[in-house]
């Protein structure tokens, strides 16, 4: 199984969410929050698709890649999970590097916050990604779904109803 950027992101946010997603339980298609994020993605930089291209490679899908300057652009709605977003971009840079694209960098963009962060891949990052990939594969292969995390961290998750239906937390 190819590990996607979504798998990588979910691993850093919630192991249960990752396991459910990887095992075919996808709640994003009915989530208003996910739809809002997609709409933001499509409308924030309307001319970007003319300038940059989408790139699918080894299970990842980079929505905006500048091949001339080797820059990955990742758009997010909020910086609530900024660390997970950063590692998702680092994972994209890692996959690009594994496929011969050396020296790529990333831009993590939060249009609503008027905030942009540069993302670079370091030697320790490469080592951490290798370890995380092993842990992600092990987690996905587990027979049992991981436990829920505390409800206060789940309120805006597309899996909230799945995990907490009928529960008070």
């Amino acid at each position: 199984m190819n590990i996607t950027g979504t798998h990588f992101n979910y691993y850093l946010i919630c192991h249960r969410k990752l396991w459910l997603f990887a095992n075919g339980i996808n709640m994003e298609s009915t989530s208003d929050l996910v739809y809002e994020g997609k709409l933001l993605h499509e409308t924030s930089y309307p001319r970007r698709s003319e300038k940059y291209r989408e790139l699918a490679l080894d299970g990842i899908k980079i929505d905006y890649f500048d091949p001339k300057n080797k820059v990955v652009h990742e758009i997010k709605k909020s910086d609530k999970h900024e660390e997970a977003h950063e590692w998702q971009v680092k994972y994209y840079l890692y996959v690009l590097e594994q496929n011969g694209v050396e020296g790529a960098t990333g831009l993590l963009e939060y249009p609503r916050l008027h905030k942009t962060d540069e993302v670079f891949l370091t030697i320790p990052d490469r080592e951490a990604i290798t370890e995380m990939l092993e842990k992600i594969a092990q987690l996905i292969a587990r027979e049992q779904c991981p436990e829920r995390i505390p409800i206060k961290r789940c309120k805006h998750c597309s899996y909230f109803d799945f995990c907490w239906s009928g529960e008070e937390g």
Side-chain angles (χ1 to χ4, degrees):
M1 163 187 236
N2 282 330
I3 303 297
T4 69
T6 302
H7 289 109
F8 216 83
N9 186 302
Y10 287 1
Y11 171 74
L12 293 160
I13 294 172
C14 174
H15 290 179
R16 182 180 181 95
K17 184 176 186 174
L18 166 63
W19 189 91
L20 291 167
F21 176 77
N23 284 280
I25 300 171
N26 188 341
M27 305 300 284
E28 275 77 8
S29 60
T30 60
S31 169
D32 289 341
L33 295 169
V34 172
Y35 176 74
E36 186 181 334
K38 286 181 183 188
L39 192 59
L40 177 73
H41 188 273
E42 293 168 1
T43 60
S44 294
Y45 306 101
R47 300 190 57 159
R48 184 164 283 175
S49 59
E50 298 169 14
K51 198 172 182 183
Y52 305 130
R53 57 181 254 200
E54 183 179 286
L55 180 64
L57 183 66
D58 287 352
I60 66 167
K61 184 179 154 208
I62 299 170
D63 294 325
Y64 298 111
F65 180 65
D66 174 356
K68 180 181 176 194
N69 297 306
K70 297 192 247 181
V71 178
V72 170
H73 294 263
E74 182 69 17
I75 301 168
K76 297 294 185 183
K77 185 173 69 166
S78 133
D79 62 356
K80 181 179 177 189
H81 298 291
E82 190 168 14
E83 182 182 6
H85 301 158
E86 183 179 332
W87 278 101
Q88 182 178 356
V89 173
K90 287 181 181 199
Y91 179 58
Y92 291 161
L93 299 174
Y94 176 86
V95 172
L96 286 170
E97 191 176 84
Q98 298 297 305
N99 284 276
V101 180
E102 299 288 330
T105 60
L107 290 176
L108 188 51
E109 300 168 316
Y110 300 99
R112 285 189 175 163
L113 303 174
H114 304 287
K115 176 181 173 183
T116 301
D117 295 330
E118 286 186 289
V119 180
F120 302 96
L121 185 66
T122 66
I123 291 171
D125 293 338
R126 289 178 189 91
E127 294 166 1
I129 288 170
T130 301
E131 290 176 22
M132 283 189 252
L133 287 170
E134 289 177 26
K135 291 178 182 176
I136 289 168
Q138 290 170 358
L139 199 131
I140 289 171
R142 284 178 47 178
E143 194 73 25
Q144 295 290 322
C145 181
E147 293 295 317
R148 297 179 296 205
I149 60 175
I151 195 169
K152 66 182 181 217
R153 293 180 50 202
C154 301
K155 296 284 186 188
H156 299 290
C157 176
S158 58
Y159 289 83
F160 180 83
D161 288 338
F162 182 89
C163 294
W164 293 100
S165 181
E167 300 282 334
E168 291 299 317

